[in-house]
Amino acid sequence: MSQEQWNAVDRYLSDLFVGSDPALEAALAASDAAGLPQINVSPPHGQMLQVLARSVVANGAPGARKILEIGTLGGYSTICLARALPAGGRLITLEFNPKHAEIARANIARAGLADKVEVRVGKALDTLPQLASEAPFDMVFIDADKEGYCDYLAWSLKLTRPGSLIVADNVVRKGAVVDPASPDSMVQGVRRFNQMLAAEPRVSATAIQTVGAKGYDGFAVAVVVK
Ligand code: SAH
Ligand code: DHB
Ligand code: MG
């Protein structure tokens, strides 16, 4: 199995399940033009985030009404998630880098989602404590610095309610996650995160490996049960 094959299958799945999407394509083009790193979720993964957001029940109806994202970049995953929101729904996304936030705001506006999405600039550990009045969130997507994932999980648990969904990106890191001696601080961050998530009694959780246009990595998904 090769990256070439994963790319071909990702194209096949994107064509089937995502198709031509001018707003997402424009967001990627603007992000590339601004020199942002190409570490956004892939089209099928973005679509999966949207499906998950639509599957969460909030106020007795399908669809997350309040979504929190930690790590915006150019707003690609933000757009995927925000499209799942019902009328009156809201997404808050946290981004450390002001340039990323500016590009994301433009991409989100171009996608017609400016009225539903707020990009808050700052280190997530500084902006998360200001979210108490917006809680509980029906879904959290964790995708910022991997070293902070345990802190982001602790905050996610504070800011959600039973039935909320917590999803985290990049929990496999090309398989390096199995190496306890890895010198990579991102690998150590996701190792601590996976361990914390697995031991957390307030969630039912798992993690899965993924391959595709973004290489070999994985997602963790957890539902808050109490
Ligand atoms: N969710 C995006 C990708 C996010 S990449 C997508 O799939 O489209 C990770 C982002 O987290 C980067 O933009 C980076 O600047 C941001 N980040 C890194 N450390 C952070 C921190 N401490 N607080 C908030 N954002 C942070
Ligand atoms: C990397 C990939 C990501 O999806 C992300 O959110 C952050 C970093 C990376 O490969 O470095
Ligand atoms: Mg990621």
Side-chain angles (χ1 to χ4, degrees), residues 3 16 25 36 39 49 54-55 71 78 106 124 135 138 142 166 176 185 195 200 209 218:
Q3 182 63 53
L16 276 177
E25 284 153 25
L36 269 53
I39 54 173
L49 291 173
R54 288 188 194 278
S55 75
T78 316
D138 306 307
I142 301 174
I166 300 171
S185 65
Q195 188 164 20
E200 173 54 58
Q209 309 182 68

Side-chain angles (χ1 to χ4, degrees), residues 150-173:
C150 281
D151 289 325
Y152 305 149
L153 177 57
W155 275 105
S156 298
L157 290 165
K158 276 189 206 153
L159 295 171
T160 51
R161 43 106 186 146
S164 295
L165 199 64
I166 300 171
V167 179
D169 194 20
N170 310 117
V171 301
V172 171
R173 308 299 304 167

Side-chain angles (χ1 to χ4, degrees), residues 171-217:
V171 301
V172 171
R173 308 299 304 167
K174 298 181 167 55
V177 71
V178 296
D179 179 9
S182 172
D184 182 336
S185 65
M186 293 199 267
V187 171
Q188 292 298 340
V190 299
R191 280 181 60 82
R192 288 193 302 274
F193 171 83
N194 288 332
Q195 188 164 20
M196 178 175 167
L197 187 66
E200 173 54 58
R202 285 169 288 177
V203 303
S204 175
T206 192
I208 58 161
Q209 309 182 68
T210 59
V211 294
K214 301 282 162 178
Y216 170 31
D217 214 318

